[in-house]
Amino acid sequence: MIPPNSALEDRVQRALGHLRNKTTDTYSQIRSFTPSGYTDPELAHRERELIFGTVPSIVAHGSEIPNPNDFITLQMPRNKVLVVRQRDGGVRSFVNICRHRGALLEPRASGSCRLFSCGYHRWSYDPDGALRAITRENTFGDMDRSQHGLIELPTEERHGFIWIVDAAEAKIDVAAWLGPEMDETLRGYRMDELTCFRAEGYDEPTNWKIMQDAFIDVYHLQYAHPNTAGKAIHTNVMTVEDFGRHCRFAALRKTIDRWLAEDPGNANLAAHVTDNHLLLPNSTLIRQRDHCELLTFRPDPAEPGRSRMEMRLLVPRAEDTELDNDAWHALWEKNWKILLTVLHGEDFPLLRGSQSAMESRSAGPLVLGRNETVNHIFHREIARLLEAGGWQA
Ligand code: FES
Ligand SMILES: [Fe+2]
């Protein structure tokens, strides 16, 4: 089971106060913004370069590639990427391109492979990226093979997740990027002990920030999700811990309502709260009582109006629970289906509409309220990265 977090009680008590007073943690001001932030190709280019090309972002949970030679491939904003578990247990990532004439080296989404062999002229590469063999080498001409291995991307496994900076020349330091508060927070969750029950990706005609904004938003719940999330979680009530780059925000489950009139005293309120985390630049980590959900939003490599969302359900391994294998599968399968229904039936249609509306040429300025604290933090930090020309480990 996920261990409890020590300061949780304080956060729940404060949130309960908000619920009683119909208030919430608020930001210092409202913020006006223009729709061009979601449609401008030049801005989208700067985001790919200055944000994704300099800061670590999560690409997978370690349990998705548990054994040596296990791999996944993905499209990052700047590069096609191949992520491979190494023989020594570490993880390395490479640009997924053959160094001969540039074929896509590994077309599969995932698998296990002892030798990555190119479909075009059959050059082959070891899982550590070294160029192992050139076909018909006697006719090819002299070449230093060590200079033609796969191009490596900075990669680190920390707190159970695999993080990549999407630029070969960059450095990676996930602890420095997280900062002491968030690094300590994630360490306490011991997510390396969980397993990824399922990971799926969805290509959407929506800017990545519209997507990210929707999944740090507790203001929309009862309006956009009246029969699902809005029934289970209180709307517009949260406590926010702003760590200066990332933040944690607690939302209240409606099961807490029994304590509205009564003083909870020393009762354990942990079951009534969901701890959410904005992991800048593009993930929301939702920590439920017995599992976690990770949502990731990646810009398209070219189109500002497109992105890919990935959803991961991270759960205790069957052997760490009292459930037998079938019951374990049934439980998490049911959870997964509920998440999918809300996502595809409720959020995606709304957000597609938002993107197409934002493309209106006379849309006028839009506004973020003081109650939308986490959205403020997200946009503040994205703007800060762009102004600073990126981040350096
Ligand atoms: S492009 Fe890969 S072997 Fe020729
Ligand atoms: Fe939503």
Side-chain angles (χ1 to χ4, degrees):
M1 281 293 150
I2 300 169
N5 186 298
S6 56
L8 184 69
E9 285 302 304
D10 298 343
R11 299 204 295 285
V12 190
Q13 290 291 0
R14 193 146 61 89
L16 197 53
H18 280 317
L19 187 58
R20 289 190 177 115
N21 300 323
K22 296 192 166 34
T23 53
T24 183
D25 277 5
T26 50
Y27 202 66
S28 53
Q29 67 222 2
I30 64 170
R31 175 181 180 273
S32 177
F33 65 98
T34 57
S36 65
Y38 305 93
T39 59
D40 176 9
E42 172 56 27
L43 175 66
H45 172 76
R46 292 177 63 230
E47 288 172 352
R48 292 191 298 270
E49 295 299 314
L50 302 178
I51 300 174
F52 292 89
T54 71
V55 311
S57 63
I58 299 175
V59 299
H61 187 258
S63 63
E64 293 169 59
I65 47 171
N67 303 310
N69 307 330
D70 287 355
F71 71 85
I72 56 164
T73 63
L74 70 147
Q75 175 71 61
M76 286 293 280
R78 299 181 78 249
N79 291 294
K80 288 209 179 290
V81 180
L82 168 64
V83 186
V84 193
R85 176 74 63 190
Q86 302 293 300
R87 214 174 298 157
D88 67 2
V91 180
R92 293 170 77 171
S93 305
F94 309 97
V95 181
N96 189 8
I97 182 174
C98 174
R99 297 296 309 284
H100 175 217
R101 285 201 358 231
L104 180 67
L105 177 62
E106 179 51 74
R108 291 170 292 176
S110 64
S112 183
C113 190
R114 286 162 60 180
L115 199 62
F116 292 93
S117 156
C118 177
Y120 205 170
H121 315 89
R122 225 27 108 201
W123 285 23
S124 55
Y125 301 84
D126 286 317
D128 66 1
L131 175 56
R132 163 88 76 90
I134 297 174
T135 45
R136 314 283 173 128
E137 194 170 12
N138 63 320
T139 63
F140 191 82
D142 285 341
M143 195 182 74
D144 180 359
R145 242 194 271 174
S146 70
Q147 296 303 304
H148 287 76
L150 301 179
I151 303 286
E152 187 157 8
L153 295 170
T155 304
E156 190 182 327
E157 195 167 16
R158 191 171 182 86
H159 306 313
F161 294 109
I162 299 166
W163 310 68
I164 290 183
V165 183
D166 188 19
E169 61 281 9
K171 291 198 168 51
I172 190 161
D173 183 343
V174 176
W177 172 248
L178 289 173
E181 298 93 345
M182 189 53 87
D183 194 52
E184 207 40 50
T185 298
L186 296 187
R187 185 195 322 282
Y189 296 166
R190 294 196 221 141
M191 288 177 291
D192 55 330
E193 295 172 10
L194 302 179
T195 188
C196 184
F197 175 74
R198 192 152 307 155
E200 263 179 23
Y202 316 103
D203 292 305
E204 281 295 303
T206 310
N207 181 276
W208 71 284
K209 290 171 297 182
I210 290 181
M211 301 284 279
Q212 175 69 85
D213 265 328
F215 294 90
I216 49 179
D217 176 333
V218 298
Y219 180 24
H220 78 302
L221 298 179
Q222 87 178 77
Y223 311 110
H225 307 293
N227 300 312
T228 51
K231 264 203 176 129
I233 301 183
H234 276 291
T235 296
N236 206 40
V237 179
M238 63 179 171
T239 60
V240 183
E241 296 160 277
D242 182 357
F243 299 136
R245 180 179 291 149
H246 317 279
C247 67
R248 172 162 70 180
F249 53 110
L252 290 177
R253 304 185 152 278
K254 291 197 172 171
T255 52
I256 201 156
D257 289 1
R258 56 174 294 211
W259 297 113
L260 271 176
E262 231 180 298
D263 179 359
N266 287 330
N268 181 3
L269 300 178
H272 308 299
V273 72
T274 306
D275 259 332
N276 305 276
H277 310 72
L278 167 64
L279 300 176
L280 203 74
N282 67 332
S283 284
T284 298
L285 173 71
I286 303 165
R287 187 171 178 256
Q288 309 279 10
R289 201 158 40 96
D290 56 354
H291 71 277
C292 294
E293 294 147 19
L294 183 82
L295 314 174
T296 304
F297 310 93
R298 232 168 260 140
D300 182 86
E303 295 289 324
R306 303 198 68 86
S307 62
R308 181 172 178 85
M309 172 182 181
E310 285 178 359
M311 180 160 73
R312 295 184 157 77
L313 182 58
L314 308 162
V315 309
R317 289 179 285 237
E319 57 267 35
D320 296 337
T321 68
E322 323 240 281
L323 301 173
D324 67 38
N325 234 357
D326 287 351
W328 182 87
H329 267 278
L331 170 68
W332 297 116
E333 191 66 48
K334 191 174 131 209
N335 267 268
W336 180 261
K337 288 227 171 84
I338 294 170
L339 291 172
L340 276 193
T341 306
V342 176
L343 212 57
H344 290 270
E346 299 174 8
D347 284 309
F348 285 173
L350 195 73
L351 302 177
R352 285 175 207 142
S354 185
Q355 179 70 35
S356 65
M358 296 245 204
E359 281 162 12
S360 301
R361 303 306 296 269
S362 303
L366 306 170
V367 63
L368 264 186
R370 291 186 59 195
N371 55 334
E372 298 172 272
T373 311
V374 183
N375 303 85
H376 279 279
I377 295 170
F378 173 52
H379 289 278
R380 179 192 74 197
E381 294 304 315
I382 292 298
R384 185 181 289 179
L385 280 169
L386 293 175
E387 272 158 33
W391 181 76
Q392 222 161 12

